[in-house]
Every structure is written in C-alpha cells, then in structure tokens.
C-alpha cells in the first residue's frame, strides 16, 4: 500500500514538473499578458520570484503599462517638474511612494499600490476657506515638516469654521469607492478645537453632483448624492478617548480653563469620525466616502465640506495641509 502511494505521489510530482516546464515554454508576451491581469501589489511582484523568465515578464513595460492609469501621461503633463523613470514599473513605484505636485503645487497626484487607483490631495491653497485671506483669521505658513506642499493654512482666530474643496470625478479611477480625509495638525497654543460638552461637533459633508450639463448637454435636474458625519478634531484626553465616542455613555472632562475638573456624561455618537495619526507626522480624519461609477462620469463633481458654523466658541491652532481623496477598502 505504501509503495502504491509513493508511486502516485511521484507521478503527481512529475506531472507538476512537466506542467511547469510547459509554462516556461510560453512566449514572454503571453506570460506578461497573464500577469497584467493580476494585481500590482501582490501577484505581479510575487511572479518575479518564480523564475528568471517570469521575472523578465513581470518587470516588463507591457505589464506595468496596464497597471498605470490610462490617462497618467495627461495628468503628469500638469506636473510642476518633469517625472523621469527608466521603466513603467519604476514610474508606478515612484507614484506610490512619492506623489507628484501638479498645477503650481495646489494638488498632488499619486497611486495606491494595492490597486493602482489614482489618489489626489488638494492643497490648502486649492480649498475655499472662509476668511482665508484675512490675516487676522488665517495665516499661510511655509516649510512645515512632512507637508507635501510649500505652504499650509494656520487658523489664527475664528468662530465660523468652513472649508470646502471640489474635484472632478473624471480624474478618479472608475469603479472605485473613495474616501475624503482632512489632513491637518494642531498647534501647541490651540483652543476651541476639542470635543466639548454641550457643543455640537463639527460636521463634514461629501456631495457628488452628476448630470450637471457637461459636454454641452444641460440637465434640468442634476443627480445629487450626499453623506454627512460628525467630526472630532481633537480628543480632550488623548487618543485613548476615541473608543469612548462609541460607548453607550460617554465621559468627557471639562477643560481646566473653565475652573473645574468635573466628569460629565452625554450620549455617545456611534457615527462620529475620530482623528488618527499618519506616517508623515500629520493627522487625518475621514470626512466621508463616495463611489465612482464603473463607466465614469465626465461631468460629475465631488464637493467636500467641513464646517462648524453653529458654534459661538472661538478657535485657534488648526493647521490645514489639505484634503486627500484616496481609495477606501473594507477593514
């Protein structure tokens, strides 16, 4: 019995070896085409470890040209500095690791390594900031560490906080669910930005308007989809307080400047968006998500709005780098 099992095993091993040999006989173009139908982050990179023949196919321009967005050359034509890479694979990696500045450093363009989908960040200069040109309300600061852009907007003192950004959906990858994130920091002398008892939290709204008359075909009733969420910019007791937002009873401590150190309770908001640190030293908070149709919508626009307009408290110390729009994946 054991001998029969050994014979079957040897036959299977020989068959596998013969099949592998047949694969290696395929022309490089066929192997490259097969690899190009996989994913850039996993299958394509792993294929290069199979054999020298597979490595040549997996690294070829024919494969990585399919992973790059079809309109990447048109987008890179707007780059502030020329982007030179020796191969399509190098270009893909460059755009994943180091987004390119476009349109006078008002926007950055990169790729998500996992899917190859396009990512954009609107710089603070590309956003509409209420009173952003008034130096008594906002100032523009240059050269902050970790910022993609040469300058960022720093809040001096306002009671009405409203920031809006817009992007054409035609720039994004079809058939992809995106999320918008406010990328920011908070200065040491900040005030009025914490989650606070008795005050409504800031609100973020992400709105997609399609059928708005692009291409000379006016539409009387554009299609509108919109989502809205409460936002927390700063936890009063540090990052460990994030979980408290979603408990049945939420405990918050009053600021010391109020002369009290008393614990109060309020109902938690299970849908509130909380901040998290980024790898570049900044923080981000998700403002909302939206989907780009598989067929694309040339005349559609996504508008991202972050606001706290019903509060009477004055605020200081919010440093805005921009709004990033990138693919969102389920955890």
């Amino acid at each position: 019995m054991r001998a029969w099992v050994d014979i079957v095993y040897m036959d299977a091993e020989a068959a596998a070896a013969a099949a592998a040999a047949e694969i290696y006989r395929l022309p490089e173009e066929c192997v490259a085409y097969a690899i190009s139908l996989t994913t850039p982050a996993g299958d394509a990179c792993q294929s290069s470890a199979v054999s020298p023949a597979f490595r040549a196919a997996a690294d070829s321009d024919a494969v990585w040209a399919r992973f790059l967005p079809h309109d990447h050359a048109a987008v890179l034509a707007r780059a502030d500095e020329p982007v030179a890479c020796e191969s399509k694979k190098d270009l893909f990696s460059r755009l994943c690791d180091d987004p390119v500045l476009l349109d006078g450093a008002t926007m950055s363009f990169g790729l998500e390594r996992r899917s190859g989908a396009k990512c954009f960040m609107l710089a603070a200069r590309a956003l509409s900031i209420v009173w952003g040109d008034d130096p008594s309300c906002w100032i523009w600061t240059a050269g902050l560490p970790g910022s993609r852009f040469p300058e960022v907007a720093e809040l001096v003192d306002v009671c009405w906080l409203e920031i809006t950004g817009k992007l054409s959906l035609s720039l994004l990858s079809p058939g992809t669910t995106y999320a918008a994130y406010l990328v920011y920091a908070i200065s040491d002398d900040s005030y009025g930005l914490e989650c606070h008892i008795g005050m409504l939290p800031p609100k973020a709204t992400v709105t997609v308007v399609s059928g708005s008359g692009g291409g000379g075909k006016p539409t009387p009733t554009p299609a509108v989809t919109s989502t809205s969420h409460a936002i927390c910019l700063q936890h009063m007791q540090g990052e460990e307080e994030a979980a408290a937002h979603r408990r049945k009873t939420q405990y918050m401590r009053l600021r010391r400047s109020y002369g009290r150190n008393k614990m109060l309770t309020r109902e938690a908001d299970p849908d509130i968006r909380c901040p998290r640190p980024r790898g570049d030293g900044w923080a981000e908070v998700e403002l909302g998500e939206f989907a780009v149709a598989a067929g694309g919508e040339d005349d559609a626009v996504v508008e991202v709005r972050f606001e706290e307009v019903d509060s009477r408290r004055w605020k200081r110390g919010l440093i805005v780098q921009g709004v990033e729009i990138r693919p969102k994946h389920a955890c």
Side-chain angles (χ1 to χ4, degrees):
M1 181 68 179
R2 176 62 184 271
W4 181 82
V5 171
D6 289 342
I7 291 172
V8 170
Y9 179 76
M10 292 173 61
D11 287 345
E13 210 173 34
E22 291 300 318
I23 291 175
Y24 294 147
R25 291 181 183 179
L26 289 173
E28 183 179 313
E29 294 80 4
C30 294
V31 176
Y33 179 76
I35 295 174
S36 72
L37 300 177
T38 63
T39 59
D43 302 326
C45 293
Q46 293 172 6
S47 298
S48 62
V50 174
S51 71
F54 268 61
R55 184 180 304 113
D59 292 345
S60 68
D61 281 352
V63 168
W64 291 92
R66 291 179 65 92
F67 291 146
L68 289 166
H70 69 90
D71 61 345
H72 71 275
V75 177
L76 290 177
R78 298 162 52 183
D80 294 347
E81 297 181 0
V83 179
C85 295
E86 293 184 358
S87 67
K88 299 292 186 182
K89 183 179 180 180
D90 289 343
L91 178 59
F92 184 94
S93 296
R94 160 76 164 82
L95 293 175
C96 292
D97 297 335
D98 188 14
V100 176
L101 296 184
L102 310 177
D103 302 344
T106 59
M107 180 187 297
S108 73
F109 163 62
L111 299 179
E112 186 206 36
R113 187 178 300 278
R114 176 175 174 178
S115 64
K118 291 184 281 185
C119 308
F120 289 90
M121 185 189 289
L122 300 173
R125 277 293 186 190
L127 303 175
S128 174
I129 302 176
V130 172
W131 295 319
D133 294 329
D134 186 342
S136 66
C137 299
W138 291 84
I139 59 173
W140 294 89
T141 305
L144 261 65
S147 175
R148 292 184 189 177
F149 305 105
E151 58 181 358
V152 297
E154 183 170 355
L155 175 59
V156 176
D157 207 21
V158 299
C159 64
W160 182 294
L161 180 59
E162 185 174 345
I163 301 171
T164 307
K166 294 183 180 181
L167 186 71
S168 171
L169 259 66
S170 64
L171 287 173
L172 301 175
S173 298
T176 305
T177 298
Y178 280 89
Y181 301 85
L182 179 69
V183 181
Y184 69 99
I186 294 179
S187 65
D188 294 336
D189 61 347
S190 67
Y191 55 74
L193 299 173
E194 312 95 330
C195 298
H196 182 262
I197 295 293
M199 292 287 187
L200 291 175
K203 183 177 71 171
T205 304
V206 175
T207 303
V208 176
V209 181
S210 59
S212 55
K217 298 179 180 180
T219 304
T221 55
V224 178
T225 58
S226 183
T227 60
S228 183
H229 301 286
I231 301 296
C232 174
L233 287 176
Q234 184 181 24
H235 296 298
M236 295 181 69
Q237 299 179 60
E239 290 300 322
E240 67 275 8
E241 193 176 90
H245 283 299
R246 297 176 176 86
R247 295 173 186 157
K248 291 184 178 179
T249 305
Q250 179 182 6
Y251 294 88
M252 307 279 297
R253 188 182 298 275
L254 291 176
R255 291 178 58 201
R256 293 180 181 178
S257 59
Y258 284 82
R260 293 177 290 171
N261 199 29
K262 181 181 179 181
M263 297 299 291
L264 297 178
T265 65
R266 74 175 182 188
E267 289 300 315
D269 184 350
D271 194 41
I272 195 167
R273 300 298 203 257
C274 297
R276 60 186 180 187
R278 291 164 55 96
D280 55 10
W282 292 71
E284 68 179 22
V285 62
E286 183 186 327
L287 304 178
E289 65 180 63
F290 61 96
V292 180
E297 299 178 79
D298 293 340
D299 58 353
V301 174
V302 60
E303 178 180 280
V304 180
R305 182 184 301 272
F306 173 79
E307 58 186 348
E308 186 182 20
V309 298
D310 297 326
S311 171
R312 295 182 180 178
R313 60 174 176 169
W314 289 82
K315 292 167 279 290
R316 175 185 177 88
L318 176 65
I319 304 172
V320 178
Q321 183 184 164
V323 170
E324 184 170 35
I325 296 176
R326 65 176 190 262
K328 178 176 182 179
H329 299 285
C331 295

